[in-house]
Amino acid sequence: MTTPFPPVFIFLIFGLMIGSFLNVCIYRMPLGKSVVHPGSHCTKCGKAIRWYQNIPILSWIVLRGKCGSCGDPISIIYPLIEAATGALFVAHYLWFGLDPIVLPRLLFACALLVLAFIDLEHRILPNPITLGGIVVGFLFSFAFPPGWQASLIGILLGGGVLFVVGELYLRVRGIEGMGMGDVKMLGMIGAFLGWKAVIVTIMLASVSGAIVGAILMLAQKGDKQYPLPFGTFLSAAALVASFFGDAWMDWYVNQLG
Ligand SMILES: [Zn+2]
């Protein structure tokens, strides 16, 4: 049977709509505001955004990046996040197909996207996402890969390892290299993906963070230490691990023995 709407199209539309909600989370959560109430409104004039002004990407283009009421510019970040979420949904469909695992992995990817942008902007990783993610990821693991044992070890490994490294860093260098937010976020990554992916994520995030950090230091002549949003690197690394992590770890373990 052929349907007029192929699944990839449905994933795209759904992703764009969810992306619109993720924008609300990214904007409001750091301010401690509710993500459900009130409805979407202009952050400048407070005027409610009507449904036809809230169509992902299209509305931003039609309104030429301005509020329909007061004309205040609306950042291009908003349609970009909608587009990125749409792309994430399509990528998950292409990779996982209609396997039920696509559900927890999409939820996880959405959480990563929100954390990445909040950390980039505010250098914080809100507890409702990280701690909530640990609980949700662990619950999912009873029905989905990686299974509850791997998930539990992932939570302990992710939370524990980074906590120890962070403490060492603090003692040795006297500065906080990693916040508790990063520790909780890695616990969340472990909960959803299991302990193998935690190792992959830490390696990828550390290497990419070090490279970007070095480039920034050179560009700024090293006069001040620019605090890197490590959570943003963890997000990107965990997303890669969500797709490829297990295959890479299995390959590596096979090489060893
Ligand atoms: Zn306005």
Side-chain angles (χ1 to χ4, degrees):
M1 191 184 87
T2 53
T3 60
F5 295 109
V8 67
F9 184 72
I10 294 168
F11 270 76
L12 174 65
I13 297 298
F14 206 62
L16 292 172
M17 286 176 356
I18 297 286
S20 197
F21 173 68
L22 298 189
N23 269 321
V24 175
C25 296
I26 291 166
Y27 180 75
R28 293 189 192 176
M29 286 188 93
L31 307 176
K33 292 182 181 172
S34 163
V35 296
V36 286
H37 185 83
S40 295
H41 55 87
C42 170
T43 56
K44 175 92 175 196
C45 69
K47 192 105 181 199
I49 294 168
R50 300 183 194 287
W51 68 267
Y52 55 83
Q53 296 173 329
N54 207 9
I55 297 164
I57 302 175
L58 286 181
S59 288
W60 191 89
I61 295 169
V62 170
L63 293 167
R64 301 211 181 103
K66 288 187 227 119
C67 167
S69 299
C70 69
D72 199 54
I74 300 166
S75 171
I76 192 158
I77 288 289
Y78 291 97
L80 286 182
I81 284 173
E82 285 161 356
T85 313
L88 265 183
F89 272 59
V90 169
H92 276 75
Y93 169 70
L94 295 178
W95 189 259
F96 297 105
L98 293 175
D99 189 300
I101 185 72
V102 79
L103 184 72
R105 289 303 170 87
L106 270 177
L107 193 68
F108 178 62
C110 289
L112 291 178
L113 193 131
V114 171
L115 288 173
F117 279 91
I118 290 179
D119 201 34
L120 193 60
E121 182 84 18
H122 303 275
R123 298 294 189 281
I124 54 166
L125 297 161
N127 282 335
I129 304 179
T130 55
L131 294 182
I134 290 175
V135 174
V136 173
F138 186 55
L139 289 177
F140 266 118
S141 76
F142 284 88
F144 296 98
W148 73 267
Q149 294 96 334
S151 173
L152 187 61
I153 299 170
I155 294 168
L156 297 175
L157 182 69
V161 164
L162 264 196
F163 180 74
V164 171
V165 171
E167 280 293 302
L168 283 176
Y169 205 74
L170 188 64
R171 301 267 165 86
V172 175
R173 297 194 58 184
I175 50 171
E176 207 167 331
M178 254 170 297
M180 283 304 292
D182 299 316
V183 173
K184 291 175 234 172
M185 183 176 171
L186 226 96
M188 174 190 111
I189 293 165
F192 272 94
L193 301 183
W195 63 272
K196 288 181 189 172
V198 167
I199 297 169
V200 173
T201 301
I202 293 177
M203 290 196 302
L204 283 178
S206 304
V207 170
S208 57
I211 292 170
V212 172
I215 292 170
L216 285 177
M217 273 222 287
L218 288 173
Q220 295 172 330
K221 304 267 190 284
D223 49 349
K224 68 168 181 199
Q225 274 197 326
Y226 177 78
L228 276 185
F230 194 57
T232 307
F233 290 94
L234 282 178
S235 280
L239 191 61
V240 173
S242 172
F243 286 111
F244 306 106
D246 278 356
W248 286 352
M249 273 304 283
D250 290 342
W251 176 84
Y252 185 67
V253 169
N254 279 337
Q255 300 301 303
L256 294 179

